[in-house]
Amino acid sequence: MKFGSTSSYIASDDLAVAVNAAITLQRPLLVKGEPGTGKTELARQVAESLGLPMMEWNIKSTTKAQQGLYEYDAVSRLRDSQLGDERVHDVRNYIRKGKLWQAFEADTRVVLLIDEIDKADIEFPNDLLQELDRMEFHVYETSETVRARHRPIVIITSNNEKELPDAFLRRCFFHFIRFPDADTLRAIVDVHFPGIRESLLTTALTQFYEIRETPGLKKKPSTSEVLDWLKLLLAENLTAEDLKRDARSLLPRLHGALLKNEQDVHLFERLAFASRGRV
């Protein structure tokens, strides 16, 4: 099993090496990088490239590690017992299987995405250490041990909102997705918009990188945002000439696709004002 770029996803050489190394080592792949650099999409593309089904566990601030294993619905069992329901005699009727359990019992190997693990409580990663390491866990209500039939390929994403525990990091293969350089970004654009006019693409990407490198920017636009921007430019049938920025604001055309808060919009307006003052 070897992962590489797909028809809809450009994987850099170092990213492909990281994915394949994690598969070889049978370790979870921990992927960090700016929001919008394709961390979540990576798992989908690994599954597509290797011809495997995918399971997705989206983590929220309220998510507990136990939910990935199973949840025992004691309240429903109590209610059913009061109603005389025969289901109460089998506790298995009240156990809800989590994503890890589903991945462990799958008939074939799967790609399991644990998305944005840093959103959860700081203890969340530690609570999954043994399960991800040994690929098994115990169900106390039924006194059974669930073991993985086929070791899943586990991909974990993080936006670096919280530091992850060292004990957890030791069990992962780590990769940081760097923001693509101009050549790689061109290749990514070509996948999504084949045949885009060269003059439009050159002008658009020049402006895009200038925006990203502007000092004081609160949120740099990402890969997904430049793709949205290009989609709008094509929908409006704009040309390279149309992209010339107004000296009064320096804001790019359709800037709402790139700048996502008022501080950054005001930054370009202030820069334009300062530029006019120097003239």
Side-chain angles (χ1 to χ4, degrees):
M1 282 188 170
K2 289 291 184 182
F3 168 71
S5 295
T6 69
S7 60
S8 58
Y9 188 88
I10 301 297
S12 62
D13 291 342
D14 58 341
L15 176 57
V17 167
V19 172
N20 292 317
I23 294 172
T24 300
L25 293 173
Q26 297 188 331
R27 297 273 190 181
L29 174 63
L30 174 61
V31 183
K32 293 185 179 183
E34 292 180 29
T37 50
K39 299 186 297 298
T40 301
E41 185 63 21
L42 171 65
R44 301 188 181 105
Q45 296 301 328
V46 169
E48 179 182 328
S49 175
L50 302 181
L52 300 176
M54 178 181 152
M55 295 183 181
E56 190 167 344
W57 185 15
N58 296 301
I59 307 303
K60 302 178 181 179
S61 60
T62 56
T63 303
K64 302 299 180 185
Q66 181 65 31
Q67 293 172 301
L69 308 179
Y70 69 93
E71 292 182 276
Y72 169 52
D73 191 353
V75 174
S76 292
R77 192 181 189 194
L78 175 60
R79 183 188 63 238
D80 288 349
S81 68
Q82 294 170 339
L83 297 173
D85 194 321
E86 289 297 317
R87 297 174 71 249
V88 300
H89 299 299
D90 188 351
V91 69
R92 290 177 176 82
N93 291 323
Y94 302 94
I95 290 178
R96 299 173 183 169
K97 298 177 181 179
K99 293 295 184 180
L100 278 174
W101 191 332
Q102 294 173 38
F104 284 6
E105 72 173 5
D107 292 330
T108 185
R109 195 178 197 184
V110 303
V111 174
L112 174 62
L113 170 64
I114 303 177
D115 201 24
E116 298 189 334
I117 193 172
D118 52 321
K119 281 187 175 179
D121 183 87
I122 190 62
E123 290 304 318
F124 181 94
N126 279 337
D127 290 342
L128 289 177
L129 285 180
Q130 298 303 320
E131 289 77 9
L132 291 176
D133 200 24
R134 298 179 181 176
M135 287 289 148
E136 66 178 39
F137 63 90
H138 188 70
V139 183
Y140 296 97
E141 289 77 6
T142 62
S143 299
E144 64 178 313
T145 298
V146 177
R147 294 183 177 87
R149 295 180 184 176
H150 309 277
R151 192 178 188 100
I153 297 172
V154 181
I155 297 178
I156 303 170
T157 71
S158 170
N159 286 327
N160 247 354
E161 292 183 10
K162 294 190 186 81
E163 287 293 327
L164 299 174
D166 288 345
F168 179 79
L169 294 175
R170 283 199 302 272
R171 288 167 168 82
C172 297
F173 190 93
F174 172 76
H175 182 74
F176 183 85
I177 297 182
R178 294 180 177 84
F179 193 82
D181 59 26
D183 290 339
T184 303
L185 190 53
R186 277 178 172 270
I188 293 171
V189 170
D190 188 58
V191 166
H192 293 270
F193 308 110
I196 187 172
R197 295 187 302 276
E198 177 62 28
S199 59
L200 175 64
L201 179 58
T202 298
T203 302
L205 291 188
T206 298
Q207 285 192 14
F208 173 72
Y209 278 104
E210 286 174 353
I211 291 169
R212 274 188 57 87
E213 294 165 7
T214 301
L217 204 64
K218 183 176 181 181
K219 183 196 177 302
K220 295 182 178 182
S222 66
T223 308
S224 62
E225 286 158 344
V226 74
L227 293 176
D228 286 345
W229 187 47
L230 289 170
K231 184 176 182 179
L232 287 173
L233 298 181
L234 292 172
E236 295 293 327
N237 200 27
L238 299 180
T239 66
E241 185 69 19
D242 294 326
L243 293 188
K244 287 185 177 179
R245 287 190 274 183
D246 187 342
R248 291 174 296 179
S249 69
L250 295 182
L251 288 169
R253 293 289 293 271
L254 301 167
H255 64 268
L258 299 175
L259 304 176
K260 298 303 177 73
N261 58 71
E262 64 277 14
Q263 293 98 317
D264 288 343
V265 172
H266 292 159
L267 171 64
F268 280 91
E269 292 172 343
R270 291 196 302 272
L271 291 173
F273 180 79
S275 178
R276 292 197 303 273
R278 290 193 296 267
V279 176

